[in-house]
Amino acid sequence: MEIPFAESWKIKMVEPIRKSTREEREKWIKEADYNLFCLKSDQVYIDCLTDSGTGAMSDRQWAAMMTGDESYAGARSFFELKDAIKTITGFDYVIPTHQGRAAENVLFSALVHEGDFVLGNSTFDTTKGHIEFRKASAVDCTIDDAKDTQKELPFKGNVDLVKLEKGLIKYGDKVPFIIMTITNNTAGGEPVSMENLKGVRELANKYGKRVIFDSARFAENAYFIKTREAGYADKSIKEICKEMFALADGMTMSAKKDGLVNMGGFIATRWEDWYEAAKAFVIPFEGYLTYGGMNGRDMAALAVGLIENTEFENLHTRIHQLKLLASLLDEYGVPYQRPVGGHAIFIDALKVLPQIPKEEFPAQTLAVELYKEAGIRGCEIGFILADRDPVTRENRFGGNDFVRLCIPRRVYTDNHIRVIAAALKNVYDKRDEINRGVKIVWEAELMRHFTVKLRPAGGK
Ligand code: F0G
């Protein structure tokens, strides 16, 4: 028998979780206005809301925290972080920020202007928010196949190079940069191939543009290049990372994902002019240049986290759990974005609940049902998250409507994964009995999914 050697760590500290009854959960979700972000974490049994800042640090990271240097300027921990980033990306200039969206805020304040068009694969909602907030537009040039959830392609996060080139010609001087999100969260945590990143670089060079990687899950992207792309099987994750980042001019980073920390982010670039431009914004928005929103100890832990999470074994343990969840859902027939990506499984709600009209938000409806079933908190990555069109104010129903179930890094065991799969099976088996969705009773203008208030459609 083959020995399933997937684990690369063991558990040294545990946190209790509490089961609840269906009756309690029905009351709590009503009190939360049917918005899973509004639940208290104690009301959740397994939390798959996000993989952002929810991971477990290693003993080596905790040890590094004790060595953190809290000097206001020139902290040693900053230089440790800078060295780790240089080792992995090759970038010389580093600006820490308190998280990924802060990196976007600082860098885009310097680079994005009213009337601009930012091209790339799918931008995450905070990235889109920071672009639209500046009265510019994000143009999604992801391959059309990414929308077909049942199509098996190794790199469904790729950009369509023909669409990208058309955009570069059409918008010309109005394109401040190209942004590639690795992995492509919005499309399902799907990776981007090295070949595609090379194609983007060629187009960028042809049209005189620079390229930013939104790198929140860059290490998972490198794992998929190693395991799925011809020619990379024998390269280390760190070698692949170096090769990826050699194709970019800079990066924004939410360190809460592949940095293996609970809070933090940064901008890194090879260009002094970008660094100088961003400097003007980091000081008023975040903090001084060598801490920019982070504690010294957090920078020290991040430096270790970046090195740890670019080890194959660590990534393999994680992605094995996603594969386990996917294989159980295959067994139960639950449709999801195929093949499973790096950080989450994306359930295709339009296929599960075809009877619920788009106006009643099928994915949100399904996420609420899953919570009621077993206290599992997922997140809608669909029509609510897509926000309204800034010009017409119409809902954007053009994309997929997913329930995203994220797996936090190094937090849950394979048995938690089996609980998630069993709960999904139960909801799936009862899907024909779900005959009404939800309606919005209050929403914010931008990034509405965090605070939206909902009611059962047709109800009060
Ligand atoms: N870019 C991507 C691809 C992201 O997934 C996120 C956050 C950000 C940028 C913003 O980073 O949260 O540190 O400010 N994604 C989280 C998620 C929130 O749940 O997918 P942040």
Side-chain angles (χ1 to χ4, degrees), residues 71-93:
S71 301
Y72 190 94
R76 184 188 350 100
S77 306
F78 168 74
F79 293 102
E80 286 166 10
L81 176 59
K82 195 167 177 278
D83 282 351
I85 294 168
K86 170 88 181 174
T87 302
I88 290 162
T89 66
F91 295 146
D92 283 315
Y93 298 99

Side-chain angles (χ1 to χ4, degrees), residues 252-455:
T252 52
M253 176 72 188
S254 169
K256 302 169 72 170
K257 287 93 170 166
D258 274 349
L260 296 180
V261 292
N262 302 110
M263 190 56 71
F266 58 86
I267 298 163
T269 175
R270 66 178 78 261
W271 296 110
E272 191 179 0
D273 61 327
W274 270 9
Y275 175 69
E276 288 299 325
K279 258 164 78 173
F281 294 98
V282 70
I283 294 178
F285 287 167
E286 291 289 296
Y288 181 66
L289 299 174
T290 57
Y291 74 87
M294 290 183 77
N295 295 310
R297 54 182 169 272
D298 292 341
M299 290 190 284
L302 173 55
V304 175
L306 287 169
I307 299 296
E308 249 175 35
N309 205 29
T310 44
E311 288 299 318
F312 177 79
E313 290 300 327
N314 196 67
L315 290 160
H316 185 62
T317 305
R318 162 169 186 64
I319 290 178
H320 143 84
Q321 289 201 319
L322 274 301
K323 283 193 188 146
L324 171 63
L325 182 54
S327 69
L328 291 168
L329 297 194
D330 285 344
E331 204 177 296
Y332 307 149
V334 181
Y336 60 87
Q337 171 70 307
R338 308 182 72 86
V340 66
H343 68 293
I345 197 138
F346 285 62
I347 311 296
D348 187 346
L350 297 180
K351 286 205 158 45
V352 179
L353 297 177
Q355 70 273 30
I356 303 289
K358 289 184 174 177
E359 293 72 17
E360 294 184 12
F361 304 107
Q364 183 66 20
T365 306
L366 185 60
V368 168
E369 287 303 320
L370 184 64
Y371 172 72
K372 286 195 217 157
E373 179 66 24
I376 292 161
R377 171 157 70 168
C379 160
E380 191 249 33
I381 300 271
F383 301 147
I384 298 182
L385 179 132
D387 274 337
R388 290 176 189 272
D389 183 286
V391 179
T392 65
R393 303 305 303 156
E394 292 295 325
N395 281 307
R396 293 192 265 210
F397 288 131
N400 287 110
D401 198 31
F402 291 126
V403 177
R404 184 185 73 167
L405 295 168
C406 282
I407 306 301
R409 293 168 184 76
R410 309 191 290 206
V411 169
Y412 292 122
T413 66
D414 286 2
N415 199 50
H416 291 100
I417 302 290
R418 290 179 203 285
V419 172
I420 299 167
L424 266 168
K425 178 182 185 331
N426 288 354
V427 174
Y428 187 65
D429 289 349
K430 288 184 290 197
R431 64 192 181 281
D432 293 342
E433 295 161 31
I434 303 169
N435 48 30
R436 67 175 175 167
V438 290
K439 64 176 180 194
I440 295 179
V441 291
W442 183 86
E443 66 186 274
E445 199 171 320
L446 268 185
M447 300 187 206
R448 63 182 178 178
H449 69 293
F450 291 120
T451 52
V452 67
K453 291 184 196 238
L454 302 158
R455 295 284 179 275

